[in-house]
Amino acid sequence: MARIAFILLCHKDPDAIIRQAQSLTAVGDYMAIHFDARATPDAYRQIRAALDDNPNVTFARKRVKCGWGEWSLVRASLNAVSAAVEAFPRATHFYMLSGDCMAIKSAEYAHEFLDRHDVDYIESYDYFQSDWIKTGWKEERLIYRHWFNERTQKRWFYTMFELQQRLGLKRKIPHDIDVMIGSQWWCLRRRTVEMILGFISERRDVTRFFSTTWIPDETFFQTLVRHLVPETEINNRSLTFLMFSDYGMPVTFYNDHYDLLLGQDFLFARKISAEATELKRRLGALYASEGTEFAISNEGQSLFRFLTGRGRIGRRFAPRFWEKEASFGRERELLIVVCKKWHVAKRLLERIRQTTNIPVIEYLFNEEGAWLPDLGNIQTSLGKRHRHRRSLMRMLFDYFDTDRLIVCIDPANIDLLEDFCRDRALTRLLDVECQFTDDYLIGHAARVGLAGDHTPTETLNAILPAIRLDIEHESDRIRDAGFANLGRIRETDASEETARVLAEFLSLPQDKAMEIAQTEHLFAD
């Protein structure tokens, strides 16, 4: 009978990881855990304390710091796989999971399912001939070397890419390897996993090649399985059910998706909402059940397309999170810097980025050219960003894989501030008050189209008081709105006062906040 060794990559929520491990191993299956080395030591100690006595749980001997799109994810997977192969000689299958996955069938059903066919379950499509990559880079992922993280080291990532491009530093793919691509959620037989471990110890050139490709967790295992295993022994599919919205983001499942999930022809589902406690309870009990029969209708994808196509509001079957009532996450924290002088806010954000590593986005609702990642076209115009504002914010939290995000918004956008402050997430505002000279206001008039190069001085003198009043009116509206978490720094404040407000806004120690407050020429024009 099949015995599954689950390979769990995780980085947060130790309580959920412990429950997941206890649930999956209670029926005789195994688990190897890699807990991200970036996570807090206390969280890892909590997991070890709870699971060290469980003989069906082991841990990767070496933990690595993982980053999206990096080789580190593959390295973490290999470390956990190696630990599982050594610790669990009776394991017949190795199943890749994340902390957001849960079983949607019983262990009894899963074991019988795997016993039915002697194959590996992994999506594995031809990298160049298939349309698995819908938009963005394709060949560039492979023929150029990528040493930096695209999300956290963006400047270095693109600088090195452009340098290689200019110098023509393309590299060749190993001559005997046909690169494949597919979902990272696979289930492989023991002999396949052992062949992969043996292959990488012999073919260091292949490992070196993939270690500097971009998003190798979508290509490494997919390529090696096709290289090592006959096609007749590969079922080109994942056993983990997941759906994507029309914006390219994973659909999250909630309490009322239980019946839908059970009807899908999959063993696990991703991703289960952290708030879906009742769904998690029911699915946990289901895995240990015996004699449960499942009516497979497999209508999940078609139902989702139908309901989202009609624009149905609500969560049941089709969470349209860009609707007005949607939230971008109860546990998340949105920090908004409100400033009329955009160059001052950008200077402040750059200093915050250097000091804290909190992801920041500059004036995304005001500047058409503000940098945003590819989020499936929702980011392509100011109109779309405003129309799907909450969707956009939620997608940015997911993109940066963070619970804290800083954005800049012009004080004229009081509607955005009011909307975001009504969200279930914690929203903090930092109002940056600047002094406005006549020269600055004249420049501002030119930027917004109120004046040109040949506007008479008399006309400028007439409109300057009106412009100054408009700016003051925007500031007054923010004060009158009664926002609960509003801090304010002024150009005329002493560094100590500025640091105190920044410390509260960013939840930083006073000395760190003082480093930011003492930024040279912060308010200079």
Side-chain angles (χ1 to χ4, degrees):
M1 184 180 76
R3 299 286 292 275
I4 307 171
F6 295 103
I7 310 301
L8 180 65
L9 300 190
C10 46
H11 65 282
K12 61 181 180 180
D13 201 350
D15 291 328
I17 293 167
I18 293 167
R19 289 193 298 268
Q20 187 180 31
Q22 291 170 338
S23 172
L24 294 178
T25 60
V27 295
D29 287 323
Y30 310 106
M31 178 173 286
I33 298 174
H34 179 277
F35 193 66
D36 195 336
R38 294 184 191 277
T40 62
D42 287 344
Y44 184 58
R45 282 193 290 268
Q46 180 183 347
I47 296 169
R48 293 298 300 254
L51 298 175
D52 269 346
D53 292 336
N54 188 329
N56 286 11
V57 175
T58 191
F59 293 84
R61 288 185 177 178
K62 184 176 181 181
R63 296 165 59 208
V64 298
K65 295 180 179 180
C66 296
W68 184 89
E70 291 182 9
W71 170 253
S72 55
L73 288 174
V74 179
R75 183 71 266 169
S77 303
L78 290 171
N79 290 352
V81 166
S82 298
V85 167
E86 180 180 344
F88 309 126
R90 298 180 61 191
T92 61
H93 293 77
F94 295 77
Y95 196 121
M96 178 66 70
L97 288 179
S98 77
D100 295 325
C101 297
M102 286 203 71
I104 56 174
K105 298 291 186 293
S106 63
E108 180 182 65
Y109 180 98
H111 296 154
E112 291 175 357
F113 183 98
L114 295 176
D115 283 336
R116 213 172 297 149
H117 302 288
D118 187 21
V119 296
D120 297 305
Y121 294 91
I122 183 170
E123 277 190 358
S124 182
Y125 298 97
D126 186 283
Y127 188 90
F128 294 100
Q129 299 302 318
S130 72
D131 63 347
W132 203 86
I133 298 176
K134 303 297 183 184
T135 60
W137 285 358
K138 193 165 190 177
E139 184 184 41
E140 293 87 347
R141 291 193 191 187
L142 305 178
I143 63 173
Y144 297 109
R145 295 170 176 84
H146 303 281
W147 295 285
F148 298 97
N149 186 291
E150 192 268 343
R151 292 185 174 179
T152 61
Q153 300 166 298
K154 194 170 300 293
R155 182 179 299 174
W156 280 108
F157 180 90
Y158 287 106
T159 297
M160 295 307 298
F161 167 71
E162 291 166 3
L163 183 62
Q164 292 177 81
Q165 210 174 29
R166 278 202 304 272
L167 297 177
L169 298 178
K170 295 182 181 180
R171 60 173 174 176
K172 293 182 179 179
I173 298 169
H175 72 279
D176 59 337
I177 293 292
D178 293 323
V179 179
M180 313 299 287
I181 191 167
S183 168
Q184 63 269 52
W185 312 113
W186 41 255
C187 178
L188 304 177
R189 297 166 297 173
R190 185 180 194 92
R191 63 175 176 270
T192 300
V193 166
E194 290 174 341
M195 283 193 292
I196 290 173
L197 295 177
F199 179 85
I200 62 176
S201 67
E202 296 174 5
R203 292 292 303 274
R204 300 297 176 88
D205 61 315
V206 174
T207 305
R208 282 195 300 271
F209 170 77
F210 278 103
S211 68
T212 51
T213 59
W214 190 39
I215 320 181
D217 54 321
E218 294 179 349
T219 56
F220 180 76
F221 290 99
Q222 297 77 357
T223 299
L224 265 56
V225 170
R226 283 283 176 185
H227 186 75
L228 298 170
V229 177
E231 185 175 359
T232 55
E233 296 182 24
I234 300 173
N235 191 322
N236 194 7
R237 59 164 294 193
S238 170
L239 295 180
T240 299
F241 178 61
L242 68 164
M243 297 191 296
F244 290 91
S245 72
D246 46 1
Y247 290 110
M249 301 302 294
V251 172
T252 301
F253 298 110
Y254 296 90
N255 289 332
D256 57 356
H257 287 106
Y258 180 80
D259 293 327
L260 173 74
L261 293 176
L262 266 58
Q264 307 313 306
D265 189 19
F266 295 85
L267 303 185
F268 280 75
R270 184 180 188 273
K271 48 198 261 178
I272 309 299
S273 169
E275 299 174 5
T277 54
E278 178 62 14
L279 176 61
K280 289 183 176 183
R281 184 195 64 77
R282 296 176 74 183
L283 292 178
L286 176 71
Y287 194 69
S289 67
E290 295 182 0
T292 305
E293 296 184 2
F294 298 90
I296 305 299
S297 56
N298 220 32
E299 82 295 354
Q301 297 284 357
S302 57
L303 254 182
F304 181 75
R305 285 193 298 270
F306 170 72
L307 292 171
T308 52
R310 293 181 62 190
R312 180 180 185 274
I313 297 174
R315 284 183 167 177
R316 185 169 177 81
F317 301 129
R320 301 278 293 192
F321 56 70
W322 55 85
E323 297 294 348
K324 183 178 179 181
E325 292 76 16
S327 168
F328 43 81
R330 186 187 300 274
E331 303 301 322
R332 287 168 167 171
E333 187 173 353
L334 178 63
L335 307 177
I336 303 176
V337 175
V338 185
C339 184
K340 196 64 181 180
K341 288 188 176 181
W342 294 4
H343 60 280
V344 173
K346 291 178 180 181
R347 206 174 288 145
L348 176 62
L349 257 66
E350 181 58 29
R351 187 63 175 144
I352 291 173
R353 181 194 285 117
Q354 294 170 356
T355 307
T356 68
N357 288 324
I358 303 173
V360 302
I361 301 288
E362 301 170 351
Y363 290 102
L364 68 167
F365 295 103
N366 304 103
E367 286 186 302
E368 192 88 51
W371 180 88
L372 284 169
D374 187 349
L375 301 173
N377 290 327
I378 192 175
Q379 81 289 348
T380 53
S381 71
L382 286 176
K384 286 185 177 180
R385 296 176 204 170
H386 278 265
R387 193 160 57 249
H388 305 310
R389 60 187 67 170
R390 292 204 180 190
S391 169
L392 177 63
M393 299 311 301
R394 186 173 189 124
M395 293 165 81
L396 286 171
F397 276 107
D398 290 339
Y399 177 87
F400 289 107
D401 193 20
T402 184
D403 291 327
R404 302 185 78 204
L405 180 68
I406 306 177
V407 298
C408 280
I409 293 180
D410 190 281
N413 298 121
I414 189 72
D415 59 325
L416 290 176
L417 302 179
E418 290 174 338
D419 189 17
F420 290 154
C421 287
R422 285 194 297 265
D423 195 277
R424 287 181 296 173
L426 175 61
T427 303
R428 298 183 191 275
L429 304 182
L430 178 67
D431 185 14
V432 182
E433 280 191 5
C434 304
Q435 294 184 311
F436 299 95
T437 64
D438 286 350
D439 286 341
Y440 177 85
L441 293 178
I442 290 171
H444 175 73
R447 286 189 294 273
V448 300
L450 294 176
D453 294 337
H454 305 292
T455 302
T457 302
E458 296 78 15
T459 304
L460 286 174
N461 290 336
I463 64 173
L464 284 184
I467 296 173
R468 191 180 296 277
L469 282 173
D470 277 348
I471 292 174
E472 291 173 357
H473 176 64
E474 290 171 359
S475 181
D476 288 339
R477 290 176 69 195
I478 292 174
R479 295 186 181 201
D480 295 340
F483 295 121
N485 299 295
L486 173 64
R488 181 172 290 107
I489 61 173
R490 301 172 178 85
E491 185 172 349
T492 55
D493 286 344
S495 296
E496 291 75 10
E497 175 60 16
T498 300
R500 184 191 65 78
V501 177
L502 287 172
E504 183 175 352
F505 175 68
L506 297 167
S507 301
L508 284 180
Q510 188 71 17
D511 58 335
K512 284 286 185 182
M514 182 60 76
E515 290 181 27
I516 301 171
Q518 292 177 336
T519 301
E520 289 187 3
H521 312 300
L522 176 61
F523 290 93
D525 291 332

